[in-house]
């Protein structure tokens, strides 16, 4: 019988808590090995591993939900597998088959079932897949050996206020990624490149930094580490860019917007168009939707107030509730997005 956890589920932070097990799989001699289970939260690695010197690493993020009907569900793991495979092609790592990825996700969730937060606690089990180049290399070349590992940790809401408006600041003096760089891949270097701007935004009292395109500084790129969307005239508008990570949450919201009879536009969005949106939000796995209250551009002395009353807009709220209901098995899974783990 698993030991009961003494955790204050309702007040968990979005951070790391140790759990019982992680799952691992090694790539050696040109092929993937068997799935291994480990109770260690450390890995033994050569000091010349390519992940440490040349950034040959990729990761993903998804969640497991304990639901009202007693089942544990995971949201669109096949999409995470596909995005990881895209990253692997981009930085020359071996692709992990989708079937093995999903099998390992299910296995690690079941092994740590006691850490899946209770239904309606406001917390979820965050699932973190990680792929790293482990073989020793001094020249700039791809590794020959790799480790794929998935660990889990229970987390609270990404933003303290949950589904409430947040304010952003345009970081004109920083670029997260270049148009033909690694922005479309989920690699750690993109996040390292955002740390300075993120700290600057927080120091100014904002929830997060807001990026314009690196080439012309004219078009909306990303909201920190999340995708942007704006709503006007019954249309869901989101940037089309070669430097934005394709968000699985955003992809899902676009589909739900169409299901609600809205038009969907993926295109370049000039900064000045911000003043025309009735609603806007940042979306991603961690927060699902973080409604945007206002976006400030201190360099240009502009302030775009989107939520005039300071509250989330009705369409954002409808999309948020719809997606959460599907994730928790409370609405029909008409697009086959859900994997039931137990």
């Amino acid at each position: 019988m698993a030991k009961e956890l003494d955790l204050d589920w309702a007040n968990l932070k979005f951070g790391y808590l140790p759990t019982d097990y992680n799952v691992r799989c090694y790539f050696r001699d040109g092929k993937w090995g068997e799935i291994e289970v480990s109770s260690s939260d450390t890995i033994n690695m050569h000091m010349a591993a390519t992940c440490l010197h040349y950034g040959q690493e990729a990761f993903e993020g998804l969640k497991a939900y304990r639901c009202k009907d007693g089942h544990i569900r995971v949201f669109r793991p096949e999409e995470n597998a596909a995005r990881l495979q895209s990253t692997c092609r981009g930085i020359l790592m071996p692709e992990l088959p989708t079937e093995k990825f999903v099998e390992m996700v299910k296995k690690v969730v079941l092994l740590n079932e006691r850490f899946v937060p209770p239904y309606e606690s406001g917390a979820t089990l965050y699932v973190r897949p990680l792929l790293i180049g482990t073989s020793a290399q001094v020249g700039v070349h791809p590794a020959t050996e790799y480790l794929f590992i998935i660990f889990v940790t229970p987390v609270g809401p990404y933003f303290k206020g949950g589904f409430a408006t947040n304010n952003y600041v345009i970081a004109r003096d920083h670029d997260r990624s270049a148009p033909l760089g690694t922005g479309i891949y989920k690699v750690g270097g993109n996040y390292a490149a955002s740390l300075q701007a993120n700290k600057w935004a927080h120091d100014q009292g904002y929830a997060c930094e807001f990026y314009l395109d690196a080439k012309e500084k004219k078009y909306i790129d990303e909201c920190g580490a999340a995708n942007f969307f704006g709503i006007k005239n019954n249309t869901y508008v989101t940037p089309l860019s070669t430097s934005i990570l394709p968000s699985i949450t955003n992809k899902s919201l676009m589909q739900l917007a169409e299901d609600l009879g809205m038009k969907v536009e993926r295109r370049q969005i000039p900064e000045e168009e911000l003043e025309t949106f009735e609603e806007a939000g940042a979306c991603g796995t961690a927060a699902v939707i973080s409604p945007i209250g206002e976006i400030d551009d201190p360099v240009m002395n502009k302030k775009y107030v989107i939520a005039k009353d300071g509250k989330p807009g009705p369409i954002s709220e409808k999309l948020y509730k719809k997606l959460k209901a599907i994730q928790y098995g409370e609405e029909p899974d008409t697009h086959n997005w859900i994997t039931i783990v137990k």
Side-chain angles (χ1 to χ4, degrees):
M1 188 77 177
K3 184 182 175 184
E4 283 293 314
L5 291 171
D6 183 24
L7 287 176
D8 184 1
W9 298 107
N11 292 299
L12 283 184
K13 295 179 180 178
F14 194 91
Y16 178 77
L17 284 173
T19 52
D20 291 333
Y21 301 101
N22 55 77
V23 293
R24 307 177 180 202
C25 186
Y26 289 89
F27 182 89
R28 297 186 179 116
D29 301 320
K31 62 181 184 296
W32 289 101
E34 297 300 314
I35 297 170
E36 302 174 14
V37 176
S38 175
S39 57
S40 172
D41 55 7
T42 63
I43 54 178
N44 189 21
M45 193 190 311
H46 197 286
M47 62 185 175
T50 61
C51 64
L52 300 177
H53 297 264
Y54 306 120
Q56 217 187 7
E57 68 84 43
F59 67 98
E60 280 295 324
L62 59 161
K63 287 181 175 180
Y65 309 86
R66 192 180 297 278
C67 304
K68 190 176 184 178
D69 61 7
H71 287 301
I72 297 173
R73 290 173 169 82
V74 176
F75 185 68
R76 305 194 78 173
E78 298 85 0
E79 286 291 327
N80 290 95
R83 190 168 65 182
L84 179 63
Q85 290 156 5
S86 171
T87 299
C88 289
R89 292 190 292 272
I91 61 171
L92 301 185
M93 298 198 293
E95 295 178 38
L96 188 82
T98 301
E99 299 75 22
K100 181 158 279 193
F101 182 98
V102 174
E103 181 185 355
M104 291 177 70
V105 167
K106 291 162 80 171
K107 191 175 189 72
V108 76
V109 171
L110 279 175
L111 285 167
N112 295 285
E113 182 183 347
R114 71 194 187 106
F115 290 93
V116 183
Y119 174 68
E120 286 194 326
S121 64
T124 51
L125 187 73
Y126 189 76
V127 181
R128 169 53 60 85
L130 173 69
L131 176 59
I132 55 175
T134 54
S135 54
Q137 187 69 265
V138 176
V140 185
H141 302 289
T144 56
E145 295 185 357
Y146 296 83
L147 168 61
F148 180 66
I149 186 166
I150 308 181
F151 65 85
V152 298
T153 187
V155 296
Y158 190 73
F159 291 110
K160 287 181 182 177
F163 187 70
T165 55
N166 285 292
N167 296 338
Y168 290 74
V169 60
I170 293 176
R172 283 184 171 272
D173 295 335
H174 298 87
D175 293 322
R176 176 186 162 275
S177 61
L180 300 178
T182 59
I184 58 173
Y185 308 126
K186 199 166 177 67
V187 296
N190 296 339
Y191 296 82
S194 73
L195 292 176
Q196 195 178 60
N198 186 260
K199 181 182 184 302
W200 170 77
H202 286 164
D203 288 348
Q204 303 298 313
Y206 294 93
C208 214
E209 76 279 18
F210 194 93
Y211 295 102
L212 301 178
D213 74 288
K215 187 176 181 180
E216 298 183 84
K217 296 290 184 184
K218 287 183 180 179
Y219 303 100
I220 293 166
D221 215 57
E222 286 207 313
C223 311
N227 279 192
F228 170 87
F229 71 87
I231 291 168
K232 63 177 179 179
N233 304 325
N234 200 41
T235 304
Y236 183 103
V237 187
T238 194
L240 181 63
S241 166
T242 55
S243 59
I244 292 176
L245 182 73
S247 162
I248 295 162
T249 304
N250 196 10
K251 184 176 183 179
S252 306
L253 291 172
M254 284 188 261
Q255 180 61 63
L256 294 181
E258 287 185 349
D259 293 349
L260 292 172
M262 299 177 67
K263 287 195 298 182
V264 171
E265 293 179 2
R266 290 189 68 210
R267 58 174 173 80
Q268 286 186 315
I269 305 173
E271 179 194 338
E272 55 270 22
E273 192 175 345
L274 284 171
E275 60 192 10
T276 70
F277 287 116
E278 299 154 19
E279 303 177 32
C283 60
T285 298
V288 184
I289 290 177
S290 173
I292 295 174
E294 67 181 51
I295 301 171
D296 293 347
D297 187 347
V299 173
M300 305 302 288
N301 196 28
K302 287 184 179 178
K303 185 187 292 284
Y304 303 97
V305 180
I306 296 169
K308 304 296 189 289
D309 58 0
K311 297 177 182 176
I315 295 175
S316 297
E317 188 168 4
K318 187 180 287 187
L319 289 169
Y320 175 79
K321 287 181 175 178
K322 181 91 174 169
L323 186 57
K324 295 279 283 186
I326 294 169
Q327 289 171 335
Y328 280 94
E330 293 163 2
E331 285 209 14
D333 178 24
T334 57
H335 299 292
N336 298 314
W337 289 344
I338 298 298
T339 294
I340 296 179
V341 175
K342 182 182 178 184

